[in-house]
Amino acid sequence: MRKHSLTVLFCLIGLSTLLAQKQVDIIIIGGGAGGTSAGIQASRMGAKVQIIESTTWLGGMLTSAGVSAIDGNHEMPSGIWGEFQQKLRDYYGGAKALATGWVSHTLFEPSIGNQILQEMAAIPNLDTAFNAVYTEVIKEGDGWFVTYKQKGKTFTTKAKILVDATEIGELLPLVRADFRLGMDSKNDTGETEAPETANSIVQDMTYCIILEDVGDKKGKRGLVKQPQNYDSKAYACACKREDGEMFGGVSGCEQMLDYGKLPNNKYMINWPNCGNDFYLNWPELTMEQRANRLEEAKAFTQGFVFYIQNELGFENLRVAEEFPTKDNFPMIPYDREARRVKGKTFLTVDHLERPYDFDFYKTGVAVGDYPIDHHRDKNPEGTPEIDFINIRVPSYNIPIGSLVPETVENFIVAEKNISVSNIVNGATRLQPVVLGIGQAAGALAATSILEGKSPSRVSIRSVQNALLESNAYLMPFYDVKSDDDGFAAMQRIGAAGILKGFGIPYKWANQTWFYPDRIVSEYEWKMGLLAYYPKIEKVPASGQGITLPFMMSVVQILNPDYLVASIQTNWKSWGIEQEFDEKTPLDRRTASILTDKILNPFAMEVNFEGNLVGGE
């Protein structure tokens, strides 16, 4: 949404009069969580990248929107999310120093998050245009021209790949990519929980704000004025309820505030229950109407702060000067939902609930463990009921096809705009997941450049291997950490479907266990390999633990010249922890490493559906 004319021209004639002032491989519009992560990953892989960001910060919802309490993936520090988490720990003095509020294990000051992300993005091949607003997106042939304004000047960049990393999927209608918006119908998704009829209703958004405890200091600095149309009843049930039942089992107003307590005695005000969530049905609004409604959302948050300071008596909590804005509000609102591209694959609740009934998991490029969480209380006209409590999913991964549009070539999405159902968006919209989505988009874009192919035609396995080299997770294995020497092998064998995980819906941190120390049976290993190597179909396999002789009996059917001596020679260098013994049953970790090193089934390519496109 912009206060100026936006046009997309699919030109039938050359653009000889349009001279690009800059040329890169990849241009990313939006320097939010997804866009920043995409830019870092693609640049590290050698691609030349430019990010166009309308604010002076990187991080989007993580920083510029003030949502600096991380939801999910605490035990899955995948890739760039893991790097960011560790840098926060280094800055503040360890993991415990970040566990200041009860909503999250990782809370931080937005300004520090921006500082860290800017340091991470200060690398060769990555240029960021801050305070830059795009005005025109033009597709010519296989490439893109993007024109933007910065400090009163106009610039144009040419790129092979365009990435939409905007907060609400702004580019999708501009590039004529098909998309979904609002609540999907049951007929469209096949989800029993979805409403019968589709609509354009999106989740509530929030204008967050950061408060700080100034103790008994006097003065008016940081006190807010009572906004027009203030009604204390709108906030009365935030932490005082006669029936005693409150969001998250909150027992009082101090506990409500501690929800988002940050380091250095600051507080993130992002409270869903009678707090500052706000319904803004932006799909139905003009740009001018949306801007006016955003001011109303700010005023609503201001009213909540006035209520906290005056009605609840927390005059010691003042508005912090956290953001480079005149009103000390974040630079952008927290939008929980975007236009969602119609991609090569469409991820629904069924895929999350029963991943192994489908093959999308084999193409996984990002992971999440947060449950499906929607904010839908503030729509004055009401929203069709969805029983979110009974949608219990284990941790999950996101297929690469959700980042690639059905039709528009050389265009990738990298934010909350991926191809998922409206219900699934309630889980995939969280910060660590979007960092992972962005990293996957960056790897996909860079692989496209390196292979000289469009993103819809690159090797999916090449993208996945690039992510593994960056310590990113393909599979959401809770008990397989990236510092394990067998991490990549277990991820590959898991993503190949040869050894499966065991999913557990668990409170606010769902899990999938790989059980690396569990013994693998002959039958389990053989059946996992069968799709890749049909020749082994007649090999008898029992329920006993697999041993090296049995493994070699299978290997030599596929490669008669391979000798067990080669395994013994490489045993330690491959990072195998079990002792070399031909009679000892092998655990899932050892079996994964040996299968990966000797047979390398991951070299066999899959399509967007997860089906093999090349066999034995």
Coordinates of all heavy atoms in Angstrom, one line a residue, residues 458-502:
V458 N 15.0 -25.0 -10.5 CA 16.3 -25.3 -9.9 C 16.2 -26.7 -9.2 O 15.1 -27.2 -9.0 CB 16.8 -24.2 -8.9 CG1 16.9 -22.9 -9.6 CG2 15.8 -24.2 -7.7
S459 N 17.4 -27.2 -8.8 CA 17.4 -28.4 -8.0 C 17.0 -28.1 -6.6 O 17.6 -27.3 -5.9 CB 18.9 -29.0 -8.0 OG 19.1 -29.9 -7.0
I460 N 15.9 -28.8 -6.2 CA 15.4 -28.6 -4.8 C 16.5 -29.1 -3.8 O 16.7 -28.5 -2.8 CB 14.1 -29.3 -4.6 CG1 13.0 -28.6 -5.5 CG2 13.7 -29.4 -3.2 CD1 11.6 -29.2 -5.5
R461 N 17.1 -30.2 -4.2 CA 18.1 -30.8 -3.3 C 19.3 -29.8 -3.1 O 19.9 -29.8 -2.1 CB 18.6 -32.1 -3.8 CG 17.5 -33.3 -3.7 CD 16.9 -33.4 -2.4 NE 16.1 -34.6 -2.2 CZ 15.1 -34.8 -1.3 NH1 14.7 -33.7 -0.6 NH2 14.5 -35.9 -1.2
S462 N 19.6 -29.1 -4.2 CA 20.7 -28.1 -4.1 C 20.4 -27.0 -3.1 O 21.2 -26.6 -2.3 CB 21.1 -27.5 -5.5 OG 21.6 -28.5 -6.3
V463 N 19.1 -26.6 -3.2 CA 18.7 -25.5 -2.2 C 18.8 -26.0 -0.8 O 19.3 -25.4 0.1 CB 17.3 -25.0 -2.6 CG1 16.8 -24.0 -1.5 CG2 17.2 -24.4 -4.0
Q464 N 18.3 -27.2 -0.6 CA 18.3 -27.8 0.7 C 19.7 -28.0 1.3 O 20.0 -27.8 2.4 CB 17.5 -29.2 0.7 CG 16.0 -29.0 0.5 CD 15.3 -30.3 0.4 OE1 15.7 -31.2 -0.4 NE2 14.2 -30.5 1.2
N465 N 20.6 -28.5 0.4 CA 22.0 -28.7 0.9 C 22.6 -27.3 1.2 O 23.4 -27.2 2.1 CB 22.8 -29.4 -0.2 CG 22.6 -30.9 -0.1 OD1 22.5 -31.5 1.0 ND2 22.5 -31.6 -1.3
A466 N 22.3 -26.3 0.4 CA 22.8 -25.0 0.8 C 22.4 -24.5 2.1 O 23.1 -23.9 2.9 CB 22.4 -23.9 -0.3
L467 N 21.1 -24.8 2.5 CA 20.6 -24.4 3.8 C 21.3 -25.3 4.9 O 21.6 -24.7 5.9 CB 19.1 -24.7 3.8 CG 18.3 -23.7 3.0 CD1 16.8 -24.1 2.8 CD2 18.3 -22.3 3.6
L468 N 21.5 -26.5 4.6 CA 22.2 -27.4 5.6 C 23.6 -26.9 5.9 O 24.1 -26.9 7.0 CB 22.2 -28.8 5.2 CG 20.9 -29.6 5.2 CD1 21.1 -31.0 4.6 CD2 20.4 -29.7 6.7
E469 N 24.3 -26.4 4.8 CA 25.6 -25.8 5.0 C 25.6 -24.6 5.9 O 26.6 -24.2 6.5 CB 26.2 -25.5 3.6 CG 26.6 -26.7 2.8 CD 27.0 -26.4 1.4 OE1 27.2 -25.2 1.1 OE2 27.2 -27.3 0.6
S470 N 24.4 -23.9 6.0 CA 24.2 -22.8 6.8 C 23.6 -23.1 8.2 O 23.1 -22.2 8.9 CB 23.4 -21.7 6.1 OG 24.0 -21.3 4.9
N471 N 23.6 -24.4 8.5 CA 23.0 -24.9 9.8 C 21.5 -24.6 9.9 O 21.0 -24.5 11.0 CB 23.8 -24.3 11.0 CG 25.2 -24.8 11.1 OD1 25.5 -25.9 10.8 ND2 26.1 -23.9 11.5
A472 N 20.9 -24.6 8.8 CA 19.4 -24.4 8.8 C 18.8 -25.8 8.8 O 19.3 -26.8 8.3 CB 18.9 -23.6 7.6
Y473 N 17.6 -25.9 9.5 CA 16.9 -27.2 9.6 C 16.0 -27.4 8.4 O 15.3 -26.5 7.9 CB 16.0 -27.2 10.8 CG 16.7 -27.3 12.2 CD1 17.8 -26.4 12.5 CD2 16.3 -28.2 13.1 CE1 18.4 -26.5 13.7 CE2 16.8 -28.2 14.4 CZ 17.9 -27.4 14.7 OH 18.5 -27.5 15.9
L474 N 16.0 -28.6 7.8 CA 15.0 -29.0 6.9 C 13.8 -29.7 7.5 O 12.7 -29.5 7.2 CB 15.6 -29.9 5.8 CG 16.9 -29.5 5.1 CD1 17.3 -30.5 4.1 CD2 16.7 -28.2 4.4
M475 N 14.2 -30.5 8.5 CA 13.2 -31.3 9.3 C 13.2 -30.7 10.8 O 14.3 -30.4 11.3 CB 13.5 -32.7 9.3 CG 13.5 -33.4 8.0 SD 11.9 -33.4 7.2 CE 11.0 -34.5 8.3
P476 N 12.0 -30.7 11.4 CA 12.0 -30.0 12.7 C 12.3 -31.0 13.9 O 11.5 -31.2 14.8 CB 10.5 -29.6 12.8 CG 9.8 -30.7 12.0 CD 10.7 -31.0 10.9
F477 N 13.5 -31.6 13.8 CA 13.9 -32.6 14.8 C 14.3 -31.9 16.0 O 15.4 -31.3 16.1 CB 14.9 -33.5 14.2 CG 14.5 -34.4 13.1 CD1 15.4 -34.8 12.1 CD2 13.2 -34.8 13.0 CE1 15.0 -35.6 11.0 CE2 12.7 -35.6 11.9 CZ 13.6 -36.0 10.9
Y478 N 13.6 -32.1 17.1 CA 13.8 -31.5 18.4 C 15.1 -31.9 19.0 O 15.8 -31.2 19.7 CB 12.6 -31.8 19.3 CG 12.7 -31.3 20.7 CD1 12.2 -30.0 21.0 CD2 13.2 -32.1 21.8 CE1 12.3 -29.5 22.3 CE2 13.3 -31.6 23.1 CZ 12.8 -30.3 23.3 OH 12.9 -29.9 24.6
D479 N 15.5 -33.2 18.8 CA 16.6 -33.8 19.5 C 17.8 -34.0 18.6 O 18.8 -34.8 18.9 CB 16.3 -35.1 20.1 CG 15.6 -36.1 19.1 OD1 15.2 -35.7 18.0 OD2 15.4 -37.3 19.5
V480 N 17.9 -33.3 17.4 CA 19.1 -33.3 16.5 C 19.5 -31.8 16.4 O 18.9 -31.0 15.7 CB 18.7 -33.9 15.2 CG1 19.9 -33.8 14.2 CG2 18.2 -35.3 15.3
K481 N 20.6 -31.5 17.1 CA 21.1 -30.1 17.1 C 22.1 -29.9 16.0 O 22.8 -30.8 15.5 CB 21.7 -29.8 18.4 CG 20.8 -30.1 19.6 CD 19.5 -29.3 19.5 CE 18.6 -29.6 20.7 NZ 17.2 -29.0 20.6
S482 N 22.2 -28.6 15.6 CA 23.1 -28.3 14.4 C 24.5 -28.4 14.7 O 25.3 -28.5 13.8 CB 22.8 -26.9 13.9 OG 23.0 -25.9 15.0
D483 N 24.9 -28.5 16.0 CA 26.4 -28.7 16.3 C 26.7 -30.2 16.4 O 27.9 -30.5 16.6 CB 26.7 -28.0 17.6 CG 25.9 -28.5 18.8 OD1 25.0 -29.4 18.6 OD2 26.2 -28.1 20.0
D484 N 25.8 -31.1 16.1 CA 26.1 -32.5 16.0 C 26.8 -32.8 14.7 O 26.3 -32.4 13.6 CB 24.8 -33.3 16.1 CG 24.9 -34.8 16.2 OD1 25.8 -35.4 15.5 OD2 24.3 -35.4 17.1
D485 N 27.8 -33.6 14.7 CA 28.6 -33.9 13.5 C 27.7 -34.7 12.5 O 28.0 -34.7 11.3 CB 29.8 -34.7 13.8 CG 30.9 -33.9 14.5 OD1 30.9 -32.7 14.3 OD2 31.8 -34.6 15.1
G486 N 26.6 -35.3 13.0 CA 25.7 -36.0 12.1 C 24.5 -35.3 11.8 O 23.6 -35.8 11.2
F487 N 24.4 -34.0 12.1 CA 23.3 -33.1 11.8 C 22.8 -33.2 10.4 O 21.6 -33.5 10.1 CB 23.5 -31.7 12.3 CG 22.4 -30.7 11.9 CD1 21.2 -30.7 12.5 CD2 22.6 -29.9 10.8 CE1 20.3 -29.8 12.2 CE2 21.6 -29.0 10.4 CZ 20.5 -28.9 11.1
A488 N 23.7 -32.9 9.5 CA 23.3 -32.8 8.1 C 22.8 -34.2 7.5 O 21.8 -34.3 6.8 CB 24.4 -32.3 7.2
A489 N 23.5 -35.2 8.0 CA 23.1 -36.6 7.5 C 21.7 -37.0 8.0 O 20.9 -37.5 7.3 CB 24.2 -37.6 8.0
M490 N 21.5 -36.7 9.3 CA 20.2 -37.0 9.9 C 19.1 -36.2 9.2 O 17.9 -36.6 9.0 CB 20.2 -36.9 11.4 CG 20.9 -38.0 12.1 SD 20.9 -37.9 13.9 CE 22.3 -36.7 14.2
Q491 N 19.4 -34.9 8.9 CA 18.4 -34.1 8.3 C 18.1 -34.6 6.9 O 17.0 -34.6 6.4 CB 19.0 -32.6 8.2 CG 18.9 -31.9 9.5 CD 17.5 -31.4 9.8 OE1 16.8 -30.9 9.0 NE2 17.2 -31.5 11.1
R492 N 19.2 -35.0 6.1 CA 18.9 -35.5 4.8 C 18.2 -36.8 4.8 O 17.3 -37.0 4.0 CB 20.3 -35.6 4.1 CG 20.9 -34.3 3.5 CD 22.0 -34.6 2.6 NE 23.2 -34.9 3.3 CZ 24.2 -34.0 3.6 NH1 24.1 -32.8 3.3 NH2 25.3 -34.4 4.3
I493 N 18.6 -37.7 5.6 CA 17.9 -39.0 5.7 C 16.5 -38.8 6.2 O 15.5 -39.5 5.7 CB 18.7 -40.0 6.6 CG1 20.1 -40.3 5.9 CG2 17.9 -41.3 6.7 CD1 20.0 -40.7 4.5
G494 N 16.2 -37.9 7.1 CA 14.9 -37.6 7.5 C 14.1 -37.0 6.4 O 12.9 -37.3 6.2
A495 N 14.6 -36.0 5.7 CA 13.9 -35.3 4.6 C 13.7 -36.3 3.4 O 12.8 -36.1 2.6 CB 14.7 -34.1 4.1
A496 N 14.5 -37.3 3.3 CA 14.3 -38.3 2.2 C 13.2 -39.3 2.6 O 12.8 -40.0 1.7 CB 15.6 -39.1 2.0
G497 N 12.8 -39.3 3.9 CA 11.8 -40.2 4.3 C 12.3 -41.6 4.6 O 11.4 -42.5 4.8
I498 N 13.6 -41.8 4.7 CA 14.1 -43.1 4.9 C 14.0 -43.5 6.4 O 13.6 -44.6 6.8 CB 15.6 -43.2 4.5 CG1 15.6 -43.0 3.0 CG2 16.3 -44.4 4.9 CD1 17.0 -42.8 2.4
L499 N 14.2 -42.5 7.3 CA 14.0 -42.7 8.7 C 13.1 -41.5 9.1 O 13.5 -40.4 9.0 CB 15.3 -42.7 9.5 CG 16.2 -43.9 9.3 CD1 17.5 -43.7 10.1 CD2 15.5 -45.2 9.5
K500 N 11.9 -41.8 9.7 CA 10.9 -40.8 10.0 C 11.0 -40.3 11.4 O 11.5 -41.0 12.3 CB 9.5 -41.3 9.7 CG 9.3 -41.6 8.2 CD 7.9 -42.0 8.0 CE 7.5 -42.1 6.5 NZ 8.3 -43.1 5.7
G501 N 10.5 -39.1 11.7 CA 10.4 -38.6 13.0 C 9.1 -38.9 13.7 O 8.2 -39.5 13.0
F502 N 9.0 -38.6 14.9 CA 7.7 -38.9 15.7 C 7.2 -37.6 16.3 O 7.8 -37.0 17.2 CB 8.0 -39.9 16.8 CG 8.6 -41.2 16.3 CD1 10.0 -41.3 16.0 CD2 7.8 -42.3 16.0 CE1 10.5 -42.5 15.5 CE2 8.3 -43.5 15.5 CZ 9.7 -43.6 15.3

